[in-house]
Structures are given as structure tokens and as C-alpha cells.
Amino acid sequence: MATPPKSFVVPSGASMVTFRLASTPRKYDKEKGGWKDCPSSFYTVVAWKMLGENIAGSVSVGDPLMVMGRLRVREWEGDKQRHTVAEIEAISVGHDLSRGTSAFRRVVRPHADPLPPDTVTLTRTR
């Protein structure tokens, strides 16, 4: 995580959180006998509603994260310049546990489904 999460409320009333994510590939340098960092790529991550709120309460700058979502590249013109940004609309975000440990805390919501979390509801269709 390269920047702190920023929270927004969009005109429709939905909450959104954004942050910048750095991805730094590594490759093995045979001459030096070790791994070296390659140039980093930066992405803006957008997370909606409860996912965004949980991100804001769970992660910090420097945390190694794994993000799953939809990648899109947006382009626009402004200030007589062409701008391009790579965004990931997040579906899921979590700590990269190959780099450390994490402790999960379930969020209790007052409007949550009254069924226990391990209950499966089956619906028959014809």
C-alpha cells in the first residue's frame, strides 16, 4: 500500500475508498547471485461500500496487499494535457500472508442477516 486510504461519498450516496498500490516485480540477478527489484508500477484501487470501509480500518501504508478486481485504464484531457490512470475496482483485498501474519476480526453489522455465518440457504428452482 503506497498511500493512506481516502474515503469519499459519491452523489448517489454510496461510500468509496481509494488508495494507491505499488507493484514491484523482482527478478534473479545471476551476476550478483541475488534478487533485485525492477521498476514499480502504481495503480489506483477503488473499493465500494463495506469493502472500502473495512480497508480503511484494516490496512496501513507499507502493508503488503493482494488485490483482486477489474483492471481498467482511464484516459482524459485536462489542462491541455492527456492523462492516463490505471485503476483496479476491487472485489477483494487482503494482506499478503507470504510476507507476514494478520488477525481477522469479523464486523458485526446491526442490519446483518440473522442466520449464523456458517448457515447455507438452498433454494429449489424448477
Side-chain angles (χ1 to χ4, degrees), residues 14-122:
S15 62
M16 174 178 92
V17 166
T18 65
F19 63 91
R20 297 281 286 164
L21 180 72
S23 175
T24 307
R26 304 187 85 208
K27 72 180 196 179
Y28 191 75
D29 185 339
K30 290 181 186 178
E31 293 174 9
K32 294 185 179 179
W35 292 91
K36 73 173 193 172
D37 289 343
C38 297
S40 297
S41 297
F42 290 85
Y43 302 89
T44 298
V45 178
V46 177
W48 294 94
K49 301 178 182 176
M50 289 309 299
L51 174 58
E53 291 177 29
N54 290 341
I55 289 168
S58 301
V59 297
S60 302
V61 172
D63 285 357
L65 300 179
M66 298 179 73
V67 176
M68 183 171 60
R70 294 176 201 91
L71 176 65
R72 70 173 176 226
V73 177
R74 287 191 312 117
E75 296 179 345
W76 73 94
E77 287 190 34
D79 304 327
K80 299 181 182 178
Q81 293 183 6
R82 187 139 186 90
H83 301 273
T84 304
V85 65
E87 288 183 338
I88 301 170
E89 185 173 347
I91 296 169
S92 183
V93 175
H95 287 111
D96 180 355
L97 297 181
S98 70
R99 313 264 310 273
T101 63
S102 186
F104 181 79
R105 292 180 312 273
R106 189 171 301 281
V107 175
V108 179
R109 296 180 183 89
H111 62 281
D113 190 345
L115 297 174
D118 58 349
T119 301
V120 175
T121 303
L122 301 175

